[in-house]
Amino acid sequence: MELRVNGKDVTAHDPHQSLLEFLRDDLGLTGTKYGCGEGQCGACTVLVDRAAVRSCITPVSAAAGRTITTIEGLETNGKLHPVQQAFLDAGAMQCGYCTAGMILSCVSLLEHHPHADENEARRALNGNICRCGTYPRILEALRLAAAAGGRRG
Ligand code: FES
Ligand code: FES
């Protein structure tokens, strides 16, 4: 199966693997985290064709022929994506375990709703859990990113 991951064409051989296993174990893209493994926490969120997807419950075969973006693929020529920069500016992480999934969920939201308000943000992030409770700063980061244009700069 051919996939495009962070701008590179790659091949997956085991259709029984999850997309998360393929990204972490085969490609070494460990920025995508394993949390619950059941689609409940959002730590494993990646973009599949620009939509936020739980990679732990997505078979790699379901991503064949599609475009995947992980946290490692967000920066462009050494420049952080506006959402990554906003998370830094807002200090929107503590342990950082949820951060990649949070950022990718925010990127997906702003791709589809560049002027998302706080209610839309809360709904979009409803499935992403932060055990450190940094939600207020995450919402502030999303507000900063939306104000900065939200999408890739
Ligand atoms: S690890 Fe995938 S949703 Fe929790
Ligand atoms: S910063 Fe620790 S889980 Fe969110």
Side-chain angles (χ1 to χ4, degrees):
M1 293 161 287
E2 306 298 320
L3 300 77
R4 194 161 177 82
V5 178
N6 297 339
K8 292 188 188 139
D9 292 324
V10 296
T11 304
H13 299 285
D14 180 358
H16 302 297
Q17 259 183 332
S18 69
L19 178 58
L20 177 62
E21 289 170 323
F22 176 66
L23 293 170
R24 287 182 58 88
D25 300 343
D26 290 21
L27 301 185
L29 296 172
T30 55
T32 306
K33 301 303 185 201
Y34 180 97
C36 64
E38 298 177 348
Q40 300 295 320
C41 76
C44 65
T45 303
V46 299
L47 302 184
V48 177
D49 291 342
R50 299 166 66 197
V53 164
R54 306 287 189 251
S55 63
C56 69
I57 54 168
T58 302
V60 69
S61 55
R66 305 179 73 178
T67 297
I68 318 301
T69 306
T70 72
I71 192 73
E72 292 90 345
L74 277 185
E75 57 92 17
T76 309
N77 298 326
K79 186 166 186 256
L80 293 177
H81 186 285
V83 175
Q84 291 176 301
Q85 187 60 56
F87 267 66
L88 280 179
D89 292 346
M93 71 280 294
Q94 190 164 316
C95 77
Y97 205 82
C98 70
T99 306
M102 287 286 185
I103 287 175
L104 286 157
S105 289
C106 290
V107 169
S108 177
L109 172 65
L110 293 179
E111 287 273 345
H112 296 95
H113 301 283
H115 306 294
D117 63 20
E118 186 168 327
N119 284 337
E120 290 169 312
R122 285 175 183 269
R123 274 198 298 276
L125 296 177
N126 193 30
N128 288 78
I129 294 172
C130 175
R131 286 172 295 181
C132 300
T134 60
Y135 299 110
R137 282 178 278 156
I138 290 167
L139 289 172
E140 171 64 5
L142 192 47
R143 192 191 65 72
L144 290 175
R151 302 182 195 203
R152 199 176 292 281

